[in-house]
Amino acid sequence: MSEPILEIRNLHASVEERPILRGLHLVLYPGEVHAIMGPNGSGKSTLAAVLAGREGYDVTAGEVLYRGEDLLELAPEERARAGVFLAFQYPIEIPGVNSAYFLRAAVNEIRKHRGQPELDAVEFLTLVKEKLKVLDIPESFLKRPVNEGFSGGEKKRNEIFQMALLEPALAILDETDSGLDIDALRVVAGGVNKLKRPDNAQLVITHYQRLLDHIVPDHVHVLAEGRIVRSGGRELALELEEKGYDWIHDGVPQPA
Amino acid sequence: MTGFTTASRSLPDMITAPTVSNPSKVAAGETGPYLRTFEHLVMEGALEHPAWALGLRRAAIARFARQGLPTPRHEDWRYTSLAPLAKLPFKPILHLDPRGLDEAALRALGVPDFGGSRLVFVDGVLAPGFSRIVPEAGVTLSGLADRLAGDGVLIRKHLGQLAPVERENPLLALNTAFFRDGAYLHVAAGKQAPLVQLIFVASGAEAGLTSSPRNLLHFERGAQAVVIEHHVSLGGEPVLTNAACEVIVEEGAHVEQVKVQDEHPAAFHVGALEARVERGATHLYHSLALGARLSRTNIHSVFAGERVECVLNGLYLVDGERLADHHMVVEHARPHCASHEYFNAILAGKARGVFHGRILVRPGAQKTDAKQTNKNLLLSGDAQADTRPQLEIYADDVKCTHGATIGQLNDDAIYYLRSRGIGHAQARRMLVHAFAGEILDRIRAACVREHLNDVVWRRLEASF
């Protein structure tokens, strides 16, 4: 087997001195799709934030290796350039910043990091039009300010569109299904599936199993009180759907 | 930009009493150099440009002598101290001295050539060698001094009418006393003037040099024009540009004016705009304060007819220990007029931004629609914004709103941009640029808007 893309070892993280993650272990290999499920407050979004480098999250113990390197010492933009992508649960509206301008800046930062020449406006447009088709997004979108006035579905679609454009090695999808109707869910999931490759990995964080009808994971993990309490195949998601999260707690040793 | 607190009130609770200003008497020592210089120049015959204007100048200097250079005790100057200016010698400029300016130097100042007519002034005096007038039927463009020397009748009718010496603005009085030259533009009824550039180069050659450019712009009924006014510096000595501009926008005319003040960070800049806008006319005035150690722009616009549409739109971009101040009075004298004021300030370092916007609705000016917004973006903990909206309403069927916000960059937005690979500094600049874009996007002349967009972006890259 090849080197893991992501290795999380005994991760502890706090927000405002309140421990949220309490000893999390997880390994993702290239070509794999992992789903992390868990009830509200189990630490799902904290995990996404810690991996993407959001401020305000303190890692108190453990380590995270990305392709064998310490991920946690990199700034958010360095992680992005190295190939880590977070699809936000709540994408931020940025009035006044034109989408095309923003996307080209992002693509070129990543290309620079990879030692590729930067794209000029024309080359960028060719690339971007091709990717827009994948997510069924109209070209007029490029002229709009980033996420401003977008519906919930449009914002989520925009996240996956950015993922298509930036071609990350590790994509973390934080509750990408929340707020989506079934049609939007299908489009978004279809986009994610098209982006799956043997050399990248996807970490899909979700509360509900319905997203996993469309994005089929290789592994499912259940997060509760800051650690993974169950791991299994796709059938684990179905079991959760059927029984809810309560039965998980029964078998979880309570942390001291 | 989120993260701002917004204060917005609407009628009727916003009817406020007029502020009684109490200009302090300034010691004779502070006006002495100005008066002595005036008398000296009169004796030399240097202020007889033309002879008939001497009476106007005398009235102006007398007015100035009564008020003196404003101090923060003066209500309208509470947040802006001219103390460092008062320390400078006073050396008014009355003759052209190109100070080694050449085409290459002019280009190096970053003033673009939009290809239409342009007048270049050095220390407020026309430099014909750098100027170009594209002939156009119905459009008269020249230096004001040339105009005064020739057929002065029309000028005599208008000069000092919109900016009377009685106006409580000592620096405007000082301009009237000492002006030598400036731009004269007249666009005849129904004519369209090609874009006009007025380029004012402050030599910055010697501390205390004072230029007093005086512009008179007259747009007859239905005329259309775009006028851009650049203020730049050659040298870095502390000098004063004390500009004044009288604008008449007649019935149905459509005028867009852009003023870009980008002088040396050691320079002082004071400017007055006095506008009279008549029935059904549109007046768009954009004011960018990018340069100067201290800049103050006084805007006074009177709507003298119904259905006027007026936009006053401004951007401040200051850092270091610099200060930019916009002070305006919008006078709704007639019913059914709309005025919108938008001023965004970007303040870094220990910079200060001052905004004072007064909307005056005269009795009978019903159906007035007046809106005023001042947003301040503080990029450091040491920057300071003073904002003072003021509504003075003497009619009962009007819509007047004002809002002022002071805030910082949105951390979530910075994080979002960084999470896509964009560096921290670049992310900040993108957000600041977007904030500036709210103002720049209102400039309708596309070439000017694009140029200023680049100017602002480069400035952010260089110093913010």
Side-chain angles (χ1 to χ4, degrees):
Chain A
M1 212 169 210
S2 54
E3 281 289 297
I5 285 190
L6 183 71
E7 255 187 289
I8 303 175
R9 295 179 188 152
N10 189 34
L11 184 63
H12 288 69
S14 305
V15 179
E16 289 170 352
E17 300 193 358
R18 196 163 50 90
I20 307 285
L21 299 181
R22 313 175 195 212
L24 190 143
H25 296 266
L26 188 65
V27 182
L28 270 72
Y29 286 93
E32 291 183 343
V33 177
H34 289 237
I36 293 204
M37 302 185 69
N40 291 330
S42 58
K44 299 193 300 292
S45 283
T46 296
L47 175 61
V50 168
L51 294 178
R54 183 166 206 146
E55 279 177 25
Y57 295 80
D58 300 320
V59 173
T60 50
E63 61 179 353
V64 178
L65 300 179
Y66 170 70
R67 289 169 154 173
E69 308 279 340
D70 183 359
L71 181 70
L72 299 177
E73 70 173 18
L74 299 180
E77 60 269 33
E78 292 170 327
R79 300 182 195 199
R81 291 169 195 166
V84 177
F85 179 90
L86 171 65
F88 282 58
Q89 182 179 3
Y90 303 109
I92 311 294
E93 297 195 12
I94 310 183
V97 175
N98 169 276
S99 289
Y101 173 67
F102 155 66
L103 294 168
R104 193 174 139 210
V107 165
N108 279 336
E109 286 295 346
I110 286 165
R111 289 180 67 89
K112 263 194 284 185
H113 181 83
R114 292 176 186 163
Q116 296 166 327
E118 293 184 42
L119 299 181
D120 66 25
V122 178
E123 291 165 330
F124 173 72
L125 206 61
T126 311
L127 171 72
V128 91
K129 281 182 180 174
E130 175 197 319
K131 303 290 184 185
L132 281 169
K133 281 188 204 135
V134 177
L135 272 298
D136 194 21
I137 295 174
E139 280 176 32
S140 61
F141 155 88
L142 294 171
K143 291 185 182 144
R144 296 170 64 181
V146 178
N147 289 323
E148 193 188 29
F150 285 24
S151 69
E154 284 177 318
K155 283 180 182 168
K156 295 301 177 75
R157 202 179 290 192
N158 187 18
E159 293 296 288
I160 306 308
F161 164 64
Q162 291 176 35
M163 175 179 158
L165 207 53
L166 302 180
E167 299 180 328
L170 172 66
I172 303 147
L173 283 68
D174 187 9
E175 310 242 2
T176 294
D177 52 330
S178 67
L180 291 186
D181 62 31
I182 189 68
D183 292 330
L185 185 69
R186 231 178 250 134
V187 173
V188 165
V192 173
N193 288 333
K194 280 182 209 164
L195 299 173
K196 187 180 170 182
R197 292 199 319 229
D199 61 346
N200 67 18
Q202 296 172 351
L203 183 59
V204 181
I205 295 172
T206 181
H207 185 88
Y208 301 103
Q209 107 84 24
R210 65 171 192 159
L211 179 64
L212 306 181
D213 287 340
H214 303 278
I215 301 173
V216 179
D218 301 300
H219 302 275
V220 175
H221 311 278
V222 180
L223 189 63
E225 305 195 7
R227 65 180 82 168
I228 286 170
V229 293
R230 292 276 155 90
S231 292
R234 194 191 167 194
E235 66 289 347
L236 181 55
L238 297 169
E239 200 176 339
L240 279 171
E241 179 79 353
E242 197 183 315
K243 299 186 184 167
Y245 284 109
D246 284 348
W247 67 276
I248 290 292
H249 288 288
D250 300 342
V252 181
Q254 294 302 306
Chain B
M1 200 97 358
T2 57
F4 284 107
T5 55
T6 303
S8 185
R9 295 156 67 204
S10 54
L11 276 177
D13 65 331
M14 65 196 330
I15 298 171
T16 55
T19 303
V20 179
S21 54
N22 182 21
S24 52
K25 290 284 176 213
V26 173
E30 291 178 40
T31 54
Y34 301 95
L35 304 188
R36 277 197 302 279
T37 306
F38 185 83
E39 289 308 330
H40 180 74
L41 291 171
V42 167
M43 294 228 301
E44 284 187 339
L47 291 177
E48 292 176 25
H49 297 287
W52 63 259
L54 194 57
L56 187 64
R57 294 184 193 279
R58 282 200 181 282
I61 197 75
R63 184 80 197 178
F64 174 77
R66 275 199 298 281
Q67 295 181 292
L69 214 52
T71 71
R73 278 178 295 164
H74 190 298
E75 189 61 28
D76 283 346
W77 292 81
R78 215 157 95 184
Y79 305 108
T80 301
S81 170
L82 293 178
L85 175 65
K87 288 190 192 117
L88 294 180
F90 176 62
K91 300 175 188 168
I93 294 165
L94 298 167
H95 302 285
L96 176 63
D97 181 348
R99 310 266 179 188
L101 182 71
D102 57 29
E103 279 294 339
L106 194 58
R107 271 196 303 278
L109 294 175
V111 180
D113 187 345
F114 292 122
S117 292
R118 70 170 199 189
L119 298 183
V120 176
F121 300 84
V122 180
D123 288 331
V125 183
L126 183 68
F130 298 100
S131 301
R132 175 183 64 225
I133 293 171
V134 179
E136 180 78 19
V139 179
T140 308
L141 175 67
S142 73
L144 186 71
D146 291 342
R147 210 64 205 165
L148 289 169
D151 169 23
V153 181
L154 202 62
I155 309 270
R156 194 168 182 167
K157 186 176 155 209
H158 294 294
L159 191 73
Q161 292 305 303
L162 291 179
V165 293
E166 295 76 32
R167 184 83 72 227
E168 206 167 277
N169 182 344
L171 285 139
L172 178 57
L174 204 62
N175 172 284
T176 304
F178 290 99
F179 80 88
R180 173 68 184 86
D181 204 351
Y184 174 76
L185 174 64
H186 180 268
V187 183
K191 298 293 181 187
Q192 187 173 356
L195 191 138
V196 173
Q197 280 181 277
L198 306 176
I199 302 166
F200 294 91
V201 181
S203 70
E206 209 181 302
L209 287 182
T210 298
S211 62
S212 309
R214 179 81 170 209
N215 300 334
L216 180 57
L217 315 178
H218 186 174
F219 306 95
E220 288 190 357
R221 295 172 62 143
Q224 292 183 45
V226 179
V227 179
I228 173 164
E229 192 180 321
H230 310 265
H231 291 268
V232 290
S233 301
L234 269 179
E237 290 297 323
V239 299
L240 169 65
T241 298
N242 180 25
C245 184
E246 289 173 280
V247 184
I248 304 155
V249 185
E250 287 188 9
E251 186 171 337
H254 189 291
V255 175
E256 177 164 41
Q257 275 183 271
V258 187
K259 175 180 173 179
V260 187
Q261 184 276 108
D262 195 8
E263 292 179 354
H264 191 279
F268 294 85
H269 182 97
V270 181
L273 174 82
E274 293 282 342
R276 175 187 164 91
V277 191
E278 297 179 353
R279 186 185 166 85
T282 302
H283 187 217
L284 313 172
Y285 188 80
H286 313 282
S287 174
L288 271 68
L290 310 178
R293 167 178 176 179
L294 182 155
S295 75
R296 159 81 167 218
T297 305
N298 290 292
I299 298 171
H300 184 191
S301 187
V302 180
F303 307 155
E306 297 184 8
R307 303 195 189 281
V308 163
E309 198 189 319
C310 170
V311 175
L312 303 176
N313 184 46
L315 177 68
Y316 309 57
L317 190 60
V318 279
D319 61 357
E321 298 190 19
R322 305 189 296 123
L323 179 151
D325 177 351
H326 278 90
H327 185 283
M328 67 214 72
V329 181
V330 174
E331 206 174 318
H332 284 259
R334 300 282 170 162
H336 294 284
C337 293
S339 67
H340 289 158
E341 292 161 44
Y342 310 93
F343 284 78
N344 281 15
I346 298 164
L347 307 167
K350 292 181 180 172
R352 290 187 60 192
V354 181
F355 173 86
H356 186 167
R358 178 170 161 224
I359 298 172
L360 171 59
V361 181
R362 296 250 180 231
Q366 304 295 10
K367 303 290 179 191
T368 285
D369 177 5
K371 189 168 132 188
Q372 187 183 80
T373 311
N374 172 227
K375 292 191 196 174
N376 295 279
L377 178 59
L378 304 184
L379 296 180
S380 91
D382 294 327
Q384 186 181 328
D386 294 295
T387 176
R388 198 170 164 213
Q390 195 182 349
L391 298 155
E392 208 177 311
I393 300 168
Y394 300 101
D396 55 12
D397 184 14
V398 303
K399 196 168 86 187
C400 295
T401 59
H402 66 86
T405 61
I406 296 176
Q408 287 96 37
L409 288 175
N410 181 340
D411 287 338
D412 287 342
I414 292 174
Y415 169 60
Y416 188 80
L417 295 171
R418 292 177 78 192
S419 79
R420 299 303 182 243
I422 295 166
H424 195 192
Q426 175 88 345
R428 280 172 58 92
R429 276 199 293 269
M430 283 170 78
L431 297 179
V432 177
H433 192 237
F435 181 72
E438 293 177 10
I439 298 300
L440 298 175
D441 286 348
R442 284 195 195 91
I443 299 174
R444 297 192 193 168
C447 62
V448 179
R449 184 179 62 238
E450 282 158 22
H451 163 68
L452 292 174
N453 228 345
D454 287 348
V455 167
V456 168
W457 180 256
R458 284 199 304 268
R459 191 61 47 88
L460 292 175
E461 280 191 321
S463 6
F464 285 83

